[in-house]
Amino acid sequence: MGSEQSSVPPKKQAQRAPPVRRGHTIAVSNLPETSRATDPTASGNNSPGTSICSDSELPYISYTVDRPIGDSPKTSAKNQRTTDNKKSLLQRRQLSLQARKTKRSRDIVVVKQPTDEQLDEDIQRLQEIPTFLPIMRGTLGLPGARDPEVLEGLDYRPWVRVTTRLQAHLAACAHPLAADEISLATKIKEADTEISRLYSQMVDKQRANARHAERLARVHEVSHQLSRCNSLLHQTLQDIEELNALLPEDKRLEPFVWNIEEEH
Amino acid sequence: MTSASSSSARSLFAESKQRLAERVQVNMNNISSLARQIQRGSKSNELLTKAARDIASTENQMENSEENLKKMQLISVHIGYQFENIQKSAQLLTEIGEQVTAMQR
C-alpha cells in the first residue's frame, strides 16, 4: 500500500536530498542543506520518530523499511546481527557514534545553494493547503482547552420550533383519524344490533308464514273433498231422477230441490 | 521491523478514535432521544392503538352480522316459496266458492 500512495517515481527520491523535513506539519521554505549527510549507510538516529506513518490503518509505514531516510531497519538489523550480540546497548551506541564521526570526517558532501527560488511543486501544493483543525480539537494539545460545546455554535430555537411543530402535526393528524376509526367502530356495532333485530323479525315472520301456508294448504283437501262431494251429489240426483222415472206415476216423488230438509 | 513500528503506530490514533467514537455516540443518543420525545409528546401512538383495538373488538360482531345476513337470505327464499303456496291456495279458495254456489243452485 505504501508504494501506491506516492506519485513521485521512486528513483527521484534516491537522487536528490529529501525535500520534506519530517516532524513539521506546516511546510517551510527550504533551508540550504549544506552539511547534510546523504550517505544512506551513515548511521544516525533519524529514523522517523514521531512519525505519521502506519501499516494498514496509517499510510506510508512501509517507507520506513523500504525507502528509509536514515538507517534502514534492515541494514541496522544486519549490522546488529553481525556485531557481537553480547555487547551492551551503551557500548553499541558509542561505537555507532564514533563510526558516524569518522565517517563524517571522511565523507563530507557539500551541496550548492538553491538557484531557482521556485519550490518543488509538491512543496507548493503542500503550502497551499489551508490550515485546518481536526474534528476533535481536544487532540491538538492539552492547553487547547475542551472541545467547544455545540451550544456556542448552534442556536437551539429553530430546532425547538421545528420539533414542536412536528409533534403538533402528528397529534393533529392522529386525532381526526382516531375519531373516524372510533365512529366506524360504533357504526359497526349499531349495524350489528340492527341486523340481529331484523333477523329475529324475519324468523318470526317466516314461522307465521309457514303456519298460514300450512293452514291454507288444507284448502286443497277441502276442495278435493268438495269436488268429490259435488260429483257424488250430481250422480245421486241423476240416479234419483231415473229411479223416479222408473216408478209408476202414483208413487213418484216431488222433483228434487236442494232444500235444507231433504225429503227421503 | 515493520511490525515494531506498525504496532507502535497502530496505537497512535487509538485514543483519538475512541474519543471521536464517543462523541458520535453521544450525538446519536441525543438524536434518538429527540425522536422519541417527538413521538411520545404527540400521543399519536396511543390514540391510534386505541382506535385499532376498538375496531379489532368489533370483529366478532362483524362475523355475527355476516352469519345472520346469510341466514336471512335463506329465509327470504323460503318465504318466497311459501308466498307462492299461499297464492295458489287463495286462488283455489275462490274457485271453491264458485263451486259451492253452483252446487247450491
Side-chain angles (χ1 to χ4, degrees):
Chain A
M1 195 166 105
S3 55
E4 297 146 10
Q5 285 170 348
S6 171
S7 57
V8 179
K11 67 177 176 69
K12 251 198 200 172
Q13 190 163 2
Q15 282 170 5
R16 55 190 164 92
V20 180
R21 283 240 300 256
R22 298 250 172 178
H24 294 263
T25 50
I26 303 176
V28 295
S29 61
N30 245 351
L31 296 177
E33 299 158 358
T34 52
S35 59
R36 185 163 290 268
T38 53
D39 194 3
T41 58
S43 69
N45 294 342
N46 47 355
S47 63
T50 54
S51 65
I52 39 177
C53 1
S54 80
D55 202 354
S56 57
E57 306 111 21
L58 310 166
Y60 295 112
I61 200 169
S62 60
Y63 281 10
T64 62
V65 176
D66 297 330
R67 285 136 62 169
I69 294 180
D71 251 347
S72 162
K74 287 186 202 158
T75 55
S76 65
K78 271 188 244 168
N79 287 340
Q80 283 175 6
R81 265 183 259 124
T82 50
T83 57
D84 191 4
N85 285 332
K86 288 185 188 143
K87 278 189 187 166
S88 66
L89 192 63
L90 192 59
Q91 280 179 349
R92 219 178 291 153
R93 275 205 183 140
Q94 285 175 353
L95 214 78
S96 65
L97 194 63
Q98 286 169 10
R100 202 192 320 148
K101 278 191 187 154
T102 50
K103 277 199 176 163
R104 269 217 188 119
S105 59
R106 271 181 291 158
D107 313 318
I108 285 184
V109 177
V110 176
V111 193
K112 252 193 334 185
Q113 291 273 347
T115 47
D116 63 339
E117 289 300 310
Q118 192 185 16
L119 302 164
D120 195 22
E121 55 177 277
D122 290 338
I123 300 178
Q124 267 181 337
R125 274 191 234 151
L126 281 173
Q127 280 178 344
E128 278 164 19
I129 296 174
T131 42
F132 60 89
L133 297 163
I135 294 177
M136 304 178 51
R137 315 228 193 110
T139 54
L140 263 184
L142 284 178
R146 280 262 328 142
D147 296 319
E149 295 295 336
V150 179
L151 301 171
E152 83 174 24
L154 290 179
D155 189 15
Y156 67 91
R157 283 191 298 257
W159 280 106
V160 167
R161 281 200 290 263
V162 158
T163 49
T164 41
R165 274 192 74 171
L166 197 59
Q167 193 169 300
H169 172 71
L170 284 178
C173 286
H175 273 96
L177 251 181
D180 279 344
E181 286 191 7
I182 289 179
S183 69
L184 257 181
T186 48
K187 282 199 186 135
I188 285 176
K189 285 184 203 160
E190 283 173 20
D192 179 56
T193 52
E194 187 74 21
I195 283 174
S196 61
R197 191 174 60 81
L198 282 173
Y199 174 69
S200 59
Q201 270 183 4
M202 273 194 85
V203 165
D204 292 339
K205 276 190 188 160
Q206 203 248 349
R207 286 207 197 113
N209 230 3
R211 260 181 265 134
H212 297 146
E214 190 221 349
R215 242 191 268 155
L216 285 176
R218 282 191 230 147
V219 169
H220 282 271
E221 296 178 20
V222 166
S223 76
H224 282 151
Q225 286 178 358
L226 197 59
S227 63
R228 246 187 278 147
C229 200
N230 219 355
S231 63
L232 274 176
L233 189 62
H234 278 289
Q235 193 88 32
T236 39
L237 279 178
Q238 280 177 7
D239 290 341
I240 284 174
E241 283 183 21
E242 273 189 37
L243 283 173
N244 229 2
L246 284 176
L247 280 176
E249 285 275 348
D250 51 349
K251 296 225 173 126
R252 281 204 190 157
L253 297 170
E254 301 290 326
F256 192 67
V257 178
W258 183 264
N259 284 332
I260 295 174
E261 309 164 12
E262 294 190 81
E263 293 183 348
H264 237 322
Chain B
M1 275 312 175
T2 22
S3 58
S5 47
S6 68
S7 63
S8 67
R10 209 173 282 155
S11 64
L12 189 61
F13 284 131
E15 198 192 342
S16 53
K17 274 195 269 188
Q18 189 196 359
R19 265 187 252 150
L20 198 61
E22 281 170 13
R23 300 288 298 207
V24 170
Q25 191 181 14
V26 163
N27 282 339
M28 275 306 303
N29 283 337
N30 290 343
I31 290 174
S32 57
S33 62
L34 191 69
R36 198 180 302 146
Q37 164 57 35
I38 289 180
Q39 202 211 14
R40 289 249 183 94
S42 77
K43 319 240 190 259
S44 62
N45 203 15
E46 286 128 14
L47 277 175
L48 289 174
T49 48
K50 182 169 180 295
R53 213 182 296 138
D54 274 345
I55 286 189
S57 70
T58 61
E59 286 286 334
N60 193 19
Q61 290 174 339
M62 281 201 267
E63 281 182 38
N64 284 343
S65 303
E66 191 191 355
E67 209 181 313
N68 284 346
L69 279 170
K70 281 187 190 157
K71 284 187 206 166
M72 277 206 275
Q73 195 190 17
L74 284 174
I75 286 174
S76 71
V77 172
H78 290 324
I79 287 179
Y81 291 156
Q82 282 162 5
F83 170 72
E84 285 181 18
N85 287 342
I86 289 173
Q87 206 176 24
K88 283 182 201 161
S89 308
Q91 278 177 353
L92 269 178
L93 264 177
T94 52
E95 288 178 13
I96 289 166
E98 288 168 11
Q99 266 185 345
V100 162
T101 49
M103 269 177 37
Q104 269 188 342
R105 269 187 271 109

